[in-house]
Amino acid sequence: MPIDRTLEAPVPADRSWWIDEALRSEAIQTSTSELVGERHVDVAIIGGGYTGLWTALALRERRPSLSIALIEASICGAGGSGKNGGKVHGYWSSLPGLERSIGADSALTVARAGTRAQDAIRRFATAPGRDVWWREGGNVRVSAAPAQDAKIEASISVSSRLGVADTVLRLSPEDVRSRCRSPAFRGGLFYPEGANVQPARLVRELRTAAIDAGVSIHEHTPMIGLDRGSPCRVRTPKGQLIARDVVLATNASLVAEDWACRYVTIFSSYAVMTEPAPERLASIGWNREEGLSDMRMFVHYFRKTPDGRVLMGSGSGPIGYGGRATAPHLTHDGASAGRAAAGLRRLLPDLGGIAIAKAWGGPIDVSSDRLPFFRTVSGTRIHFGCGYSGHGVNATYIGGQCLASLVLNSVDEWSTLPFCTRELPALPPEPFRYLGGSAIRWGALRCEEAEEDGRSAPAIARSLAALPALLGLRIGTR
């Protein structure tokens, strides 16, 4: 029977359920002041999410004498770092795609860097006095339609051939049912490297740690201009930072910059959070702590919370045009929130009737090969990182280490990673990027919905969905 894809979800809100909960949970909120007047520092960091805060902490650890100021347009955690699904895992599940795009050796290097990041985030998240809901139970990917079964075989085959078979375990349909029962689930894959976290609590703890480490944080302080030079000048509404080095950690907003726009485009992702229903989760045998996702290109990602809520996200939101990361359709598209809600009802139908407490959305900076990259703008001391492609909780730790190495001119284990050194394929210019991407998105969505419903997609949809693979692209490939 075709799935009802018109289920209503709440109008997407400006802030996520995560950030609301995190702010309520803070016993003491260390206040920060807006930047007023002129300050001279060694390093100015723009952006108070994971990337900016990990960078600040890495710099303070490696070079305690540095003076560092971080500015954030809103509050730390208001952006993508407080809106994501809170699924923390590295790149072992991406190995087949990585091998195709950057080769086997680089793919393994990237995946091993993700494991180092996972270990470091665990140490931070589980330190005494921190409660960020760290739950480490692995990462499960399930096939939810016959057309998705081939991805199971591909992952097992690549991992075995590259000598890392222990990073993934095949799950039979019975194995999947033992973890979470759903009539939509078929076989799957289990990756031992994986955890869930309350993403906004994590970013707020990073904020606290940075303040304790001596980083000056100024929230409600947007950057309104950046003058390159020696030193650089970061202009804000009421002041300015004069700094030798500037780190731009604003993710999707960087797509507007001429040195990033050729390699990054903007997608969007939407999520819904249910009201608590722990007894209903128990009734379907969802008693473990794994995060789950299906094997669509426009993936459904889902996990539970300690109080028995379920988050369901869908990476099927609209595409951005050019560098307009603040376009309303990237954060307030009701149809995309509805698809996340419909995904919840299809994938976990026995949870039907549980009310949805909140919906939200946000832009995703997707690079041309779906890996983030960290660089120094030629001829300057301006450093940046972007292109997380919806995989940022783990990778932002890597980003912080890489950016710290770039600031310090260090040739080390971080600055020599493919994240900093690889060549990126260029994307088409606008308006072709937006028009082509939108058409391919439409085709892929129609195909994936048809596959889930057990019917054939229209020929035009199949043709558009196949186009990226035919052109040898990494982005948009099913």
Side-chain angles (χ1 to χ4, degrees), residues 294-318:
D294 64 10
M295 294 184 176
R296 292 170 47 134
M297 183 184 85
F298 291 116
V299 63
H300 288 106
Y301 52 92
F302 45 112
R303 46 80 57 95
K304 60 181 183 176
T305 65
D307 65 345
R309 299 172 187 268
V310 174
L311 174 134
M312 176 67 70
S314 171
S316 63

Side-chain angles (χ1 to χ4, degrees), residues 70-356:
L70 181 151
I71 63 171
E72 161 58 40
S74 179
I75 62 170
C76 294
S81 296
K83 287 187 171 184
N84 63 86
K87 295 171 88 269
V88 193
H89 58 85
Y91 285 98
W92 296 113
S93 61
S94 304
L95 212 52
L98 288 174
E99 185 189 29
R100 288 193 300 271
S101 61
I102 61 176
D105 289 344
S106 291
L108 289 171
T109 298
V110 163
R112 287 168 179 147
T115 294
R116 293 203 301 276
Q118 194 80 3
D119 293 341
I121 298 169
R122 180 191 305 108
R123 287 193 297 271
F124 182 90
T126 59
R130 291 183 182 136
D131 182 10
V132 298
W133 299 1
W134 181 266
R135 302 290 190 275
E136 195 160 17
N139 178 38
V140 172
R141 299 203 67 195
V142 297
S143 171
Q148 297 175 20
D149 291 347
K151 294 185 178 181
I152 298 175
E153 302 305 322
S155 293
I156 294 293
S157 173
V158 170
S159 297
S160 178
R161 178 164 45 79
L162 297 185
V164 290
D166 59 335
T167 63
V168 60
L169 174 69
R170 184 197 302 270
L171 298 178
S172 68
E174 293 74 21
D175 293 330
V176 172
R177 282 194 292 272
S178 73
R179 287 166 160 81
C180 182
R181 291 192 297 275
S182 165
F185 294 170
R186 300 166 64 83
L189 298 165
F190 174 73
Y191 295 89
E193 181 179 282
N196 290 331
V197 72
Q198 210 284 35
R201 284 194 179 209
L202 176 60
V203 73
R204 300 297 292 179
E205 287 288 357
L206 287 168
R207 172 186 181 271
T208 298
I211 293 171
D212 291 345
V215 177
S216 299
I217 293 182
H218 301 278
E219 294 172 298
H220 304 291
T221 302
M223 181 179 75
I224 60 173
L226 172 57
D227 301 329
R228 307 179 185 187
S230 299
C232 297
R233 186 182 304 270
V234 177
R235 291 180 279 116
T236 72
K238 296 181 182 179
Q240 55 187 352
L241 292 172
I242 311 300
R244 182 195 68 220
D245 286 85
V246 174
V247 174
L248 300 178
T250 54
N251 296 338
S253 297
L254 292 175
V255 181
E257 303 295 339
D258 55 3
W259 28 261
C261 65
R262 295 180 61 205
Y263 311 111
V264 189
T265 190
I266 298 175
F267 283 62
S268 59
S269 182
Y270 282 76
V272 295
M273 180 72 83
T274 71
E275 297 289 358
E279 71 289 345
R280 300 285 291 280
L281 302 188
S283 73
I284 61 173
W286 194 0
N287 300 312
R288 306 194 195 192
E289 299 293 349
E290 303 105 332
L292 292 93
S293 61
D294 64 10
M295 294 184 176
R296 292 170 47 134
M297 183 184 85
F298 291 116
V299 63
H300 288 106
Y301 52 92
F302 45 112
R303 46 80 57 95
K304 60 181 183 176
T305 65
D307 65 345
R309 299 172 187 268
V310 174
L311 174 134
M312 176 67 70
S314 171
S316 63
I319 294 173
Y321 181 87
R324 300 174 190 170
T326 59
H329 69 283
L330 300 176
T331 52
H332 290 83
D333 184 59
S336 295
R339 276 192 296 277
L344 174 68
R345 307 310 184 200
R346 175 184 183 271
L347 294 172
L348 300 171
D350 289 342
L351 303 185
I354 300 176
I356 293 174

Side-chain angles (χ1 to χ4, degrees), residues 2 7 26 30 34 38 56 74-75 98 118 148 178-179 184 188 194 216 253 369 391 402-403 446:
L7 291 169
E26 290 182 3
T30 305
E34 180 182 358
E38 182 176 288
S74 179
I75 62 170
L98 288 174
Q118 194 80 3
Q148 297 175 20
S178 73
R179 287 166 160 81
S216 299
S253 297
D369 64 1
H391 191 94
C402 290
L403 289 166
R446 299 292 86 75

